[in-house]
């Protein structure tokens, strides 16, 4: 394994392949604010965050870091960093406030202005079409458990392809459909806050169907051009460690992968959903797959986005309906309580690469951590040594995977700036730029300067 091979040699970002894309990422509801401006309609997160007890301290994304108005400042920060690309998401309720029908030109204009500002500084745009902010009227009509939502997503995607096609350098259909379906419709901790397993399976299927329909729409329109921007999907797959080498723990780790990874990866690869998972819940209705759906989902994509934060440990547990649970980890943890497992990133990239049989180039579309930050007394600087260490170890692990043959094309740090961390509100800070939520001021953290040095090749990994 390359860690051993490389231990005496100093490595830097120049050891990543030519053209490797260093970037930072964020998402519309988490950073934009301006929730009621310029014709934006309500999203499920506007509704959910107002329900008592759903989001810590009752925080909402109404204002956040106000990137909608302050994007020039953030683009300038990215320019200083030297990133090649910014991964942002397009807010569906800004573009199509009711989720179908009328288009809001002011919403499209915002993304044109943002893209123009990025391009003017030589930064490519990586646009995600759906990062969880479903227009509320679509949820009122049943949300993702309803098949029609997949068609509405394809329609909205087509609008974006046509209106923003000459502004976007890389398209991502969905961000982490596992979260939208399982956290949103089964565990109830994300919008819309439902707790119904059959609904979650249906939601997962319709998200994947929406992805396939959107890619088809792209390929039959702007994506048919030979020089069209690549299109892919971002998944938060997991490939856990078994708690021990005992057969029951090995089996538990494999079963964990069914809902967490196979449900989303297998249909992209032209394979069926993991039937074994549905068999564990005989009282629930398996996903409502119709003839032709699986072929639609398997329409070829140009790359796969991998989001990685930690590697879980899984143990057999006969008291659980599926027979397993997440086990204690001995690793140090981040502010989210997530274990810090850089070798897990190395193993995960290799697992994804092997499981997908090398079919897609990979991008790490998110990696980062919530960690304690210390503002200096003058408020001009912010120290976050643990985030710097986290990033260094993960960059190094990614390079190990590259040196072992994984076709990794880029790495987006989550996140450019502190933002609305969903059910945790503003309490967890993932940014490499500190946000003062009182006055909107941005303060560069140590990790900002560290990333800048990594990108320039001056910092060793
Ligand atoms: O903030 C989220 C992001 O929206 C999706 N991926 C995980 C991040 C950290 O929890």
């Amino acid at each position: 394994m390359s860690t051993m091979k490389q231990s005496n040699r100093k490595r830097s970002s120049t050891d990543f392949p030519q053209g490797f894309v260093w970037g930072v990422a964020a998402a519309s509801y988490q950073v934009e604010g301006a929730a009621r401006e310029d014709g934006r309609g309500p999203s499920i997160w506007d509704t959910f965050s107002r329900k008592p007890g759903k989001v810590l301290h009752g925080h909402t994304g109404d204002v956040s870091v106000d990137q909608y108005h302050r994007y020039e400042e953030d683009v300038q920060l990215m320019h200083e960093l030297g990133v090649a690309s910014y991964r942002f998401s397009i807010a569906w309720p800004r573009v199509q406030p009711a989720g179908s029908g009328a288009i809001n030109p002011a919403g499209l204009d915002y993304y044109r202005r943002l893209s123009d500002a990025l391009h003017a500084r030589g930064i490519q745009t990586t646009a995600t079409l759906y990062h969880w902010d479903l227009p509320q009227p679509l949820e009122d009509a049943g949300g993702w458990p309803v098949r029609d939502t997949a068609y509405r997503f394809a329609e909205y995607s087509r609008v974006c392809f046509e209106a923003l096609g000459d502004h976007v350098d890389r398209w991502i259909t969905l961000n982490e459909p596992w979260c939208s379906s399982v956290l949103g419709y089964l565990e109830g901790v994300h919008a819309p806050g439902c707790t119904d397993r059959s609904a979650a399976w249906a939601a997962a299927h319709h998200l994947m169907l929406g992805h396939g329909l959107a890619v088809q729409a792209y390929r039959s329109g702007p994506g048919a051009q030979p020089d069209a921007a690549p299109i892919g999907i971002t998944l938060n797959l997991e490939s856990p460690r078994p708690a021990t080498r005992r057969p029951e723990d090995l089996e538990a780790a494999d079963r964990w992968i069914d809902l967490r990874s196979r449900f989303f990866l297998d249909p992209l690869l032209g394979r069926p959903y993991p039937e074994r998972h549905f068999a564990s819940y005989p009282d629930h209705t398996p996903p409502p797959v119709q003839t032709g759906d699986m072929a639609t989902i398997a329409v070829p994509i140009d790359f796969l986005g991998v989001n990685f934060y930690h590697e879980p440990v899984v143990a057999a547990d006969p008291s659980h309906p599926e027979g397993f649970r997440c086990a204690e980890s001995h690793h140090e943890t981040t502010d989210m309580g997530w274990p810090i497992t850089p070798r897990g990133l190395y193993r995960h990239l290799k697992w994804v690469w092997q499981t997908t049989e090398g079919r897609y180039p990979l991008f790490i579309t998110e990696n980062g951590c919530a960690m304690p930050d210390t503002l200096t007394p003058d408020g001009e600087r912010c120290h976050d040594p643990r985030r710097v260490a986290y990033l260094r170890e993960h960059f190094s692990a990614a390079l190990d995977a590259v040196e072992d043959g994984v076709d990794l094309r880029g790495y987006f740090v989550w996140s450019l700036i502190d933002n609305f961390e969903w059910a945790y509100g503003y309490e967890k800070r993932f940014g490499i730029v500190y946000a003062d939520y009182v006055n909107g001021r941005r303060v560069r953290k140590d990790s900002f300067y560290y990333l800048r040095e990594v990108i320039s090749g001056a910092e060793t990994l």
Side-chain angles (χ1 to χ4, degrees):
M1 194 264 295
S2 46
T3 312
M4 305 306 292
K5 287 192 301 219
Q6 300 296 337
S7 55
N8 293 326
R9 190 168 77 78
K10 290 208 185 334
R11 301 185 302 173
S12 74
S13 63
T14 57
D15 288 291
F16 282 93
Q18 189 78 24
F20 194 78
V21 177
W22 287 97
V24 283
S28 48
Y29 191 74
Q30 294 182 272
V31 295
E32 283 180 1
R36 285 179 207 84
E37 278 181 58
D38 297 337
R40 177 188 177 279
S43 80
I44 53 174
W45 271 95
D46 296 296
T47 308
F48 185 72
S49 59
R50 280 174 173 72
K51 288 191 179 160
K54 293 298 184 189
V55 174
L56 205 61
H57 310 308
H59 291 162
T60 73
D62 283 3
V63 179
S64 185
V65 293
D66 199 20
Q67 191 169 84
Y68 189 77
H69 296 110
R70 304 180 73 136
Y71 68 90
E72 288 278 6
E73 208 176 330
D74 290 345
V75 171
Q76 180 54 32
L77 286 166
M78 288 184 254
H79 178 59
E80 263 182 54
L81 271 173
V83 291
S85 186
Y86 178 40
R87 176 179 175 230
F88 58 90
S89 76
I90 299 172
W92 187 349
R94 235 181 245 300
V95 168
Q96 207 176 19
S100 61
I103 307 304
N104 175 32
L108 288 168
D109 267 359
Y110 169 65
Y111 297 105
R112 286 197 193 98
R113 280 183 274 127
L114 173 64
S115 303
D116 286 345
L118 289 160
H119 285 151
R121 290 169 185 78
I123 301 169
Q124 301 166 359
T125 52
T126 297
T128 305
L129 287 159
Y130 185 71
H131 198 126
W132 310 352
D133 39 5
L134 186 72
Q136 183 60 41
L138 290 186
E139 182 56 37
D140 297 340
W144 285 109
V146 165
R147 188 174 176 89
D148 188 57
T149 305
Y151 295 107
R152 300 288 67 79
F153 176 68
E155 174 188 286
Y156 149 73
S157 301
R158 189 189 293 276
V159 168
C160 292
F161 297 145
E162 280 166 11
L164 302 172
D166 52 354
H167 286 75
V168 172
D169 301 303
R170 187 174 295 108
W171 290 101
I172 295 174
T173 53
L174 306 176
N175 180 71
E176 302 178 350
W178 179 86
C179 293
S180 309
S181 51
V182 175
L183 299 184
Y185 291 94
L186 170 60
E187 297 186 8
V189 295
H190 276 193
C194 301
T195 49
D196 175 341
R197 188 172 296 275
S198 306
W201 288 343
H205 175 59
H206 295 139
L207 280 151
M208 295 309 291
L209 180 63
H211 154 82
L213 291 167
V215 177
Q216 283 182 339
Y218 184 60
R219 301 279 191 226
S220 65
Q225 304 302 318
D227 59 347
I231 189 165
I233 185 171
T234 280
L235 301 177
N236 55 338
L237 305 166
E238 285 186 353
S239 50
R241 296 281 274 175
T244 71
R245 304 305 296 171
R246 282 202 296 268
E248 58 271 33
D249 287 338
L250 293 173
E251 154 105 1
D254 190 58
R255 281 180 165 262
W256 176 275
I257 297 174
D258 284 348
L259 179 60
R260 192 60 214 222
S261 302
R262 292 194 182 101
F263 200 117
F264 302 93
L265 194 52
D266 283 7
L268 293 177
L269 297 165
R271 301 175 191 151
Y273 287 125
E275 286 299 330
R276 169 175 74 167
H277 174 72
F278 310 131
S280 307
Y281 296 94
D283 298 338
H284 294 79
T285 315
V289 178
Q290 294 189 10
T291 310
D293 285 3
M294 300 312 273
T296 300
I297 299 172
V299 60
I301 51 175
D302 301 315
F303 65 90
L304 179 65
V306 175
N307 287 358
F308 180 90
Y309 289 89
H310 66 98
E311 176 188 64
V313 180
V314 172
D317 180 353
S319 67
H320 188 277
E322 282 179 275
F324 57 79
R325 65 178 162 78
C326 192
E328 283 292 297
S329 158
H330 60 275
H331 291 98
E332 204 187 320
T333 56
T334 68
D335 269 4
M336 297 294 281
W338 296 342
I340 302 173
T341 54
R343 296 314 300 159
L345 173 60
Y346 166 78
R347 284 188 283 269
H348 186 59
L349 287 171
K350 293 198 64 163
W351 177 84
V352 174
W353 183 244
Q354 278 156 13
T355 307
T356 54
E357 296 162 351
R359 211 184 287 194
Y360 320 111
L362 307 180
F363 284 81
I364 295 174
T365 39
E366 285 182 28
N367 171 247
C369 56
M371 287 287 194
D373 299 314
T374 314
L375 267 185
T376 54
D378 63 3
E380 291 303 322
R381 184 79 188 247
C382 184
H383 298 309
D384 59 341
R386 294 188 63 212
R387 182 175 290 102
V388 171
Y390 177 102
L391 291 176
R392 176 180 285 118
E393 290 171 351
H394 285 78
F395 293 161
S396 178
L399 185 51
D400 288 341
V402 168
E403 288 176 344
D404 280 5
V406 173
D407 184 5
L408 182 68
R409 303 274 177 96
Y411 200 128
F412 292 79
V413 170
W414 185 272
S415 177
L416 169 68
I417 185 164
D418 296 335
N419 58 58
F420 177 82
E421 178 52 27
W422 307 111
Y424 296 90
Y426 295 101
E427 192 151 300
K428 307 293 182 200
R429 291 178 177 268
F430 275 87
I432 57 169
V433 172
Y434 179 92
D436 182 329
Y437 292 114
V438 175
N439 54 24
R441 209 164 69 91
R442 277 85 165 126
V443 182
R444 294 158 187 78
K445 299 185 190 178
D446 292 344
S447 53
F448 175 94
Y449 294 103
Y450 168 70
L451 180 59
R452 191 180 68 175
E453 297 300 289
V454 167
I455 293 172
S456 75
E459 183 68 54
T460 55
L461 297 176

